[in-house]
């Protein structure tokens, strides 16, 4: 690739099926100076790598010559200015897609339909002009179709559906079936229009995510707020979000505490309480308090925008089944032409049958054999599956990942931040000679102001229990031992058990209690007041609330689970025992990778779930790497798939979505080939003719697309149920 290479992305109007995408890809790839071409029917986009910027005009001319509209995809997405860091707005740009009935394809269909009605009326009034009237009506629709067929043939796609349609219509005219030919052309246009409407609905399912971000934001400057376009917010700007409003940008809370409804981004129905220092996502809803938020990402890079980009890019990558269908259709369409010719020619030549009758049947075979329904069967379902997953916080980077998930036999989990919360919490408070609240109060007094994870856990527990926290004097850290200070005139020390044993004798019962906590994988801090043992505080990184449910559902599906962690063996085995999962502990990153390879060598199809950072080697080695618990950036940019809201149960949902999509694909292929087989037999037997033949193609295409759209209603599971029984829409 040359240093001057330029990547350009376009939105294509009128590209509503895979045949359209194939024509465009073939035509653009033949242009000089084109290094890469990617076409997505689902997102309606064309991505090309140009040798230099001068090739863009040639790409646009080539696409327009095929009968499609084309415009830069990023024209309305990328603001030219940003505000919030000293810049002023310079206007707002945007584009609204036309209603389907205003689009050229719809106008052509309506015009052809009106002409067909007028031809019928004219034929009834003046029978001698009936044929000419129907011929004129047919030409209104056929001329644009034939022009597209001609352009596609010269651009490298001679066997297009438009070519089959043109041959069938011209053949029907030659044998005198003009009325039927006119009806077939009209039905073909109706079918294309319905494809377009269905394709638009599929695109809207993911593009609607972008509308979750409000158009305006309240920007705070010099203590005052003013309303500005949200797309022009700059990183570092401070915005104010009122109760009930959607958050207009990714950011960090500077002031305030509120429940945040993250369902639009993560699919998680339970609002999360967030306060100062917590991260919030664009498009989520501030429930009950005013928040001041510092913007951390521009509009083009916020969570919603990245999800949309990720899914659109994923839709451009083809699943193995889709690639097979594409290869199959390459040979299928020429085979249909040969079959139609044989049906038209062999019976008259070999059996003396009527030439007009069998030419008529041969033309009908051409229409029946159009491959649209077959080639759309897989990508329509894949696109709907990717969209349905994204709307529920499951991001899958392509059809190959979505298809491969159903084959998983083993899931290897990281521990910290994946199966557990990723931060310690106080699990036990043991008071000796005083109340538990006093133990927490004294410990919190010493830890006030500390950012150490154990200190944060103690302070959080004190806050939850509404324990008063008195001031501490002379508080200081003791290297490797703990923290000390004076509280209420008493010397207080919060330290490790070994440091406490240096100052006072622990009874056998107290020592046994500490050992028991350690065996459970808990860290113990000892509280001494004037060198007297006053309490024990046990802390541990606890399992996620849904971990047991998620692991149980995986096991119920016959999928093996194993924990791979760098944590110490005792802690890992304690967590593993509580979750009922096989444990391998004290592992380095390369050890995790080796275990994944070992599992694969034994025939397992492995999914590795981790935070995408220290698990990177294992994620890369696994058949499918799933990022979870490492933050939004990691979730969006690492591994093959990502779980936005970090639920273990969503690993099961990913597998369930994969099975749902593959079942839908099988249904679609059955519909497409089944209808063709039925109409092929009835046509050869003389039961059906040209216009039912076109229904076999357009009808099957509409049915297949509608069936695929059912996947958009997929919800996944939040509670354990019989495996995947309710996942299928």
């Amino acid at each position: 690739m040359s240093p001057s290479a330029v990547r350009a992305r376009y939105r294509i109007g009128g590209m509503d099926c895979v045949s359209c995408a194939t024509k465009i890809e073939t035509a653009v790839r033949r242009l000089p100076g084109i290094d890469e071409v990617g076409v997505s029917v689902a997102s309606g986009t064309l991505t090309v790598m140009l040798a230099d910027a001068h090739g863009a005009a040639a790409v646009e001319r080539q696409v327009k010559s095929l009968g499609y509209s084309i415009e830069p995809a990023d024209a309305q997405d990328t603001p030219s200015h940003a505000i919030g860091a000293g810049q002023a707005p310079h206007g707002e740009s945007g584009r609204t897609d036309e209603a389907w009935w205003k689009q050229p394809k719809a106008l052509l269909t309506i015009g052809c339909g009106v002409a067909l009605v007028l031809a019928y009326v004219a034929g009834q009034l003046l029978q001698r002009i009936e044929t000419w009237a129907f011929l004129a009506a047919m030409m209104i629709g056929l001329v644009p179709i034939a022009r597209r067929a001609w352009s596609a043939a010269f651009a490298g796609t001679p066997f297009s559906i438009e070519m089959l349609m043109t041959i069938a219509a011209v053949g029907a005219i030659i044998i005198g079936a003009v009325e039927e030919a006119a009806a077939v052309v009209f039905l073909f246009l109706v079918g294309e229009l319905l494809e377009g409407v269905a394709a638009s609905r599929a695109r809207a399912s993911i593009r609607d995510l972008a509308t979750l971000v409000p158009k305006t934001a309240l920007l705070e400057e010099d203590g005052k707020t003013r309303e500005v376009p949200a797309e022009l917010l700059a990183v570092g700007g401070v915005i104010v979000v009122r109760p009930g409003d959607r958050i207009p940008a990714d950011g960090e809370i500077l002031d305030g505490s509120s429940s945040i409804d993250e369902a639009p981004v993560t699919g998680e129905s339970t609002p999360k309480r967030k306060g100062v220092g917590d991260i919030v996502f664009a498009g989520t809803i501030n429930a009950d308090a005013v928040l001041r938020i510092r913007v951390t990402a521009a509009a083009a890079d916020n969570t919603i925008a990245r999800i949309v980009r990720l899914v659109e890019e994923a839709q451009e990558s083809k699943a193995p089944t889709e690639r097979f269908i594409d290869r199959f259709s390459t040979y299928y369409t020429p085979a249909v032409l040969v079959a139609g010719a044989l049906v038209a020619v062999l019976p008259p030549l070999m059996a003396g049958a009527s030439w007009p009758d069998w030419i008529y049947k041969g033309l009908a075979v051409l229409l029946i054999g159009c491959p649209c329904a077959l080639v759309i069967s897989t990508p329509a379902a894949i696109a709907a599956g990717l969209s349905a997953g994204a709307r529920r916080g499951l991001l899958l980077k392509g059809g190959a990942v979505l298809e491969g998930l159903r084959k998983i036999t083993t899931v290897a989990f990281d521990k910290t931040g994946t199966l557990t919360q990723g931060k310690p919490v106080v699990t036990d408070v043991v008071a000796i000679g005083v109340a538990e609240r006093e133990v927490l109060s004294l410990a919190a007094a010493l830890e006030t102001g500390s950012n150490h994870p154990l200190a944060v856990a103690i302070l959080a527990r004190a806050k939850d229990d509404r324990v008063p926290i008195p001031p501490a004097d002379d508080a200081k850290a003791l290297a490797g031992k703990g923290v000390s200070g004076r509280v209420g005139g008493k010397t207080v020390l919060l330290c490790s058990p070994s440091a406490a044993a240096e100052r006072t004798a622990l009874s056998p019962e107290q020592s046994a209690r500490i050992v028991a906590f350690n065996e459970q994988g808990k860290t113990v801090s000892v509280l001494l007041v004037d060198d007297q043992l006053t309490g024990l505080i046990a802390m541990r990184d606890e399992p996620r609330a849904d971990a047991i449910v998620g692991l149980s559902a995986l096991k119920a599906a016959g999928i093996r689970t194993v924990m791979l962690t760098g944590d110490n063996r005792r802690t890992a085995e304690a967590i593993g025992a509580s979750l009922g999962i096989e444990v391998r502990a004290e592992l380095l990153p390369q050890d995790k990778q080796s275990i994944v390879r070992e599992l694969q060598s034994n025939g397992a199809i492995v999914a590795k779930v981790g935070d995408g950072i220290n698990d990177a080697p294992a994620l890369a080695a696994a058949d499918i790497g799933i990022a979870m618990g490492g933050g939004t950036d990691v979730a969006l940019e690492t591994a093959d798939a990502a779980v936005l809201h970090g639920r273990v149960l969503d690993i099961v949902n990913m597998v369930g979505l994969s099975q749902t999509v593959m079942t839908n694909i099988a249904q679609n292929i059955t519909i497409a080939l089944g209808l063709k087989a039925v109409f092929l037999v009835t046509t050869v037997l003389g039961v059906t003719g040209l216009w039912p033949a076109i229904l076999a193609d357009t009808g099957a295409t509409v049915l297949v697309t509608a069936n695929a759209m059912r996947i958009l209603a997929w919800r996944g599971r939040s509670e354990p149920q019989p495996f995947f029984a309710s996942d299928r829409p």
Side-chain angles (χ1 to χ4, degrees):
M1 188 180 299
S2 67
S4 61
V6 177
R7 181 177 295 276
R9 195 162 181 267
Y10 302 93
R11 293 206 180 277
I12 308 298
M15 181 177 65
D16 301 323
C17 69
V18 177
S19 294
C20 299
T22 301
K23 280 185 294 186
I24 292 172
E25 181 175 352
T26 301
V28 173
R29 198 178 293 279
R30 289 163 63 97
L31 293 173
I34 300 296
D35 294 328
E36 297 176 15
V37 180
V39 184
S40 170
V41 177
S43 58
T45 58
L46 163 68
T47 304
V48 294
M49 184 64 74
L50 305 167
D52 55 62
H54 300 293
V59 170
E60 294 180 15
R61 283 195 302 271
Q62 187 80 311
V63 172
K64 288 178 181 177
S65 73
L66 297 174
Y68 304 97
S69 63
I70 179 171
E71 64 177 353
D74 300 327
Q76 74 273 16
D77 299 330
T78 306
S80 57
H81 299 81
I83 60 178
Q87 293 176 298
H90 287 252
E92 190 174 359
S93 64
R95 176 177 62 83
T96 303
D97 290 337
E98 285 186 319
W100 66 269
W101 49 272
K102 292 183 179 180
Q103 295 174 1
K105 186 178 292 187
L107 296 177
L108 176 62
T109 304
I110 293 170
C112 187
V114 170
L116 197 60
V117 172
L118 292 176
Y120 175 78
V121 173
Q124 295 298 309
L125 296 176
L126 296 170
Q127 194 168 5
R128 66 177 180 274
I129 69 167
E130 181 179 28
T131 298
W132 295 103
F134 275 106
L135 182 62
M138 182 192 70
M139 295 306 290
I140 290 175
L142 183 61
V143 168
I145 294 171
R147 186 185 300 122
R148 283 155 50 193
W150 187 261
S151 298
F154 272 91
T157 310
F159 301 115
S160 64
I161 184 173
E162 288 85 0
M163 184 63 75
L164 296 182
M165 184 67 235
T166 302
I167 293 172
V170 171
I173 294 171
I174 293 172
I175 64 173
V178 179
E179 295 88 344
E180 280 194 81
V184 164
V185 169
F186 173 67
L187 289 173
F188 175 78
L189 293 175
V190 170
E192 281 202 322
L193 179 61
L194 292 175
E195 286 177 18
V197 173
S200 296
R201 182 185 169 195
R203 290 169 193 151
S205 69
I206 187 62
R207 204 176 297 165
D208 283 350
L209 281 173
T211 65
L212 294 175
V213 180
K215 298 294 184 185
T216 61
L218 290 176
L219 180 69
E220 182 181 284
E221 291 178 326
D222 301 323
K224 298 180 180 179
T225 60
R226 64 186 178 97
E227 191 171 71
V228 300
E231 66 175 7
L232 301 181
L233 289 172
V235 174
V238 177
I239 55 176
V240 176
V241 183
R242 298 165 299 193
D245 287 352
R246 288 187 183 271
I247 296 172
D250 285 3
E252 178 184 349
I253 297 176
L254 297 178
D255 186 33
S257 175
S258 180
S259 292
I260 307 297
D261 179 3
E262 296 186 338
V265 175
T266 67
E268 181 58 64
S269 58
T270 304
K272 291 183 178 179
R273 193 77 191 176
K274 295 196 173 185
V276 176
D278 288 333
I279 300 299
V280 292
F281 305 136
T284 57
I285 301 169
N286 175 26
D288 54 28
V290 175
L291 297 176
R292 291 177 66 247
I293 298 170
R294 180 176 62 83
V295 177
T296 57
D301 295 317
N302 68 35
T303 301
I304 294 290
R306 283 183 290 169
I307 289 174
V308 172
R309 274 202 305 272
L310 177 68
V311 175
E312 289 187 342
E313 289 169 4
Q315 289 171 342
E316 292 177 9
S317 67
K318 295 183 178 181
T321 300
E322 185 177 355
R323 289 195 294 268
F324 170 76
I325 293 294
D326 283 351
R327 289 195 301 270
F328 176 75
S329 65
T330 301
Y331 301 99
Y332 173 84
T333 306
V336 167
L337 276 170
V338 172
L342 292 177
V343 168
V345 171
L346 288 183
L349 286 179
M350 301 182 68
S354 167
W355 279 97
D357 288 348
W358 283 95
I359 290 175
Y360 179 88
K361 292 178 181 179
L363 296 174
V365 169
L366 289 185
L367 298 179
I368 292 168
C370 288
C372 273
L374 181 62
V375 295
I376 197 67
S377 59
T378 299
I382 293 289
L386 292 171
S387 298
R391 294 176 71 87
R392 288 153 189 86
L394 310 179
L395 303 183
L396 307 167
K397 295 187 177 180
V401 177
L402 180 56
E403 184 172 333
L405 277 164
R406 69 189 175 113
K407 303 174 183 176
I408 293 300
T409 61
T410 301
V411 179
F413 288 92
D414 181 35
K415 180 182 78 69
T416 305
T418 302
L419 291 174
T420 65
Q421 298 289 348
K423 56 185 178 181
V425 296
V426 174
T427 58
D428 304 271
V429 178
V430 179
I432 301 172
V434 297
E436 285 187 7
R437 290 175 62 83
E438 184 173 350
V439 172
L440 271 177
S441 178
L442 293 172
L446 294 179
E447 299 288 17
T448 298
S450 173
N451 291 321
H452 190 281
L454 298 183
V456 171
I458 291 171
L459 290 168
R461 176 63 179 268
K463 181 180 179 181
D464 291 343
D465 290 357
R466 297 183 179 179
V467 171
I469 303 176
D473 298 323
D474 300 326
K476 58 183 178 181
L478 304 176
K481 295 184 178 181
V483 61
S484 68
R486 292 188 62 80
V487 182
K490 298 178 181 179
T491 300
V492 182
L493 174 65
L494 185 67
C495 59
S496 65
S498 59
E502 295 174 1
R503 302 210 173 212
T504 186
L506 303 181
S507 69
E509 293 79 8
Q510 294 164 349
S511 297
R513 193 72 176 269
I514 292 171
V515 170
F517 282 141
N518 288 335
E519 288 177 348
Q520 295 169 18
K522 298 176 180 179
T523 299
V524 180
S525 291
V526 179
L527 183 71
L528 300 179
V529 178
D530 292 335
D531 288 339
Q532 295 297 313
L533 183 62
T534 304
L536 305 175
I537 300 177
M539 290 163 279
R540 186 173 72 175
D541 181 12
E542 289 290 89
R544 292 178 179 272
D546 76 309
I548 293 178
V549 173
L551 292 173
S552 297
L554 284 169
K555 291 176 183 177
I559 297 174
R560 177 187 175 189
T561 59
V562 58
M563 178 199 298
L564 307 181
T565 179
D567 210 343
N568 70 77
R569 188 171 305 280
R570 184 167 58 184
T571 299
E573 289 180 348
I575 295 291
S578 66
L579 294 176
I581 184 174
E582 177 185 344
V583 174
R584 300 199 190 184
E586 299 178 353
L587 303 174
L588 296 173
Q590 57 266 34
D591 298 328
K592 296 180 182 181
Q593 183 185 45
S594 297
I595 291 173
V596 168
R597 297 291 192 200
E598 174 192 323
L599 292 169
Q600 291 171 325
S601 67
N602 292 328
I605 308 298
V606 181
K608 175 67 177 71
V609 184
D611 61 12
I613 302 171
N614 60 354
D615 289 293
L619 285 168
D623 295 282
I624 294 179
I626 303 174
M628 183 176 79
T632 303
D633 288 339
V634 172
L636 289 174
E637 296 165 10
T638 314
D640 303 304
V643 176
L644 279 186
H645 47 63
R647 296 190 312 173
V648 177
L649 188 60
D650 277 338
I651 306 302
V652 183
N653 282 334
M654 278 188 173
V655 179
L657 177 60
S658 174
Q659 293 198 345
T660 297
V661 169
M662 297 311 297
T663 298
N664 190 278
I665 288 173
Q667 294 169 348
N668 287 346
I669 293 174
T670 300
I671 292 170
L673 294 181
L675 277 176
K676 291 181 184 300
V678 169
F679 277 89
L680 181 63
V681 172
T682 57
T683 296
V684 172
L685 293 177
V687 177
T688 55
L690 281 176
W691 69 265
I694 194 65
L695 286 180
D697 177 63
T698 58
T701 302
V702 172
L703 285 175
V704 162
T705 305
N707 188 48
M709 292 305 98
R710 292 170 58 242
I711 297 175
L712 295 174
W714 179 87
R715 290 290 182 272
R717 300 205 319 276
S718 57
E719 297 293 338
Q721 299 170 358
F723 190 60
F724 301 140
S726 65
D727 281 358
R728 298 185 179 92

